[in-house]
Amino acid sequence: IIVPSHRDAPCDCVYPQPPPEVPAAHNVTVCADPAVVEINGVTVALTSTDVLFHLSSEEISHPPGSDRLGRLAGHLLHQQNLYPLHPPAEEINIDYPHFLHHAYLDSKPDILLLPSDLRYF
């Protein structure tokens, strides 16, 4: 699966991003960012944007000793949105008409793939 990133040199600096233009290849799926794909009956929601880092910088209060990454990912599932921040982080330029179509989750995915610069402990 190939997903574009706003960190890529030849990118469209907008969220959501259209799929990159790459030559067709066997067993390669090219997706937009964010995307929901189904692989052998398993639903995977993914984004290349560091939404967990952005959420953590905006979080005001949280229970002590809680699972930080699980709590932040839970915001996405609870709000059924792959980027649940408004206003967005400064480096994210949201195209709202496309955002409404691509970033919302119709149902809870089986797998949620989210990159992050946050420490895991």
Side-chain angles (χ1 to χ4, degrees):
I1 297 176
I2 297 175
V3 180
S5 171
H6 71 278
R7 295 179 180 182
D8 294 340
C11 78
D12 294 322
C13 294
V14 67
Y15 189 82
Q17 287 183 305
E21 294 180 16
V22 295
H26 182 67
N27 289 337
V28 174
T29 302
V30 180
C31 299
D33 175 30
V36 177
V37 295
E38 187 172 322
I39 304 168
N40 293 332
V42 176
T43 305
V44 180
L46 52 99
T47 182
S48 65
T49 303
D50 194 352
V51 63
L52 297 178
F53 183 78
H54 298 163
L55 279 170
S56 70
S57 65
E58 297 294 328
E59 195 173 43
I60 298 170
S61 167
H62 55 83
S66 64
D67 173 26
R68 181 180 186 196
L69 294 178
R71 184 182 66 252
L72 294 171
H75 290 301
L76 279 70
L77 296 174
H78 179 71
Q79 296 182 43
Q80 295 181 318
N81 187 330
L82 289 169
Y83 196 87
L85 284 174
H86 185 76
E90 289 183 9
E91 66 265 20
I92 301 298
N93 300 310
I94 292 187
D95 179 0
Y96 281 101
H98 289 102
F99 178 78
L100 297 174
H101 178 69
H102 291 282
Y104 283 88
L105 301 170
D106 294 332
S107 61
K108 287 187 179 178
D110 298 311
I111 299 173
L112 188 59
L113 291 177
L114 306 168
S116 186
D117 290 334
L118 289 175
R119 290 182 48 97
Y120 50 90
F121 292 111

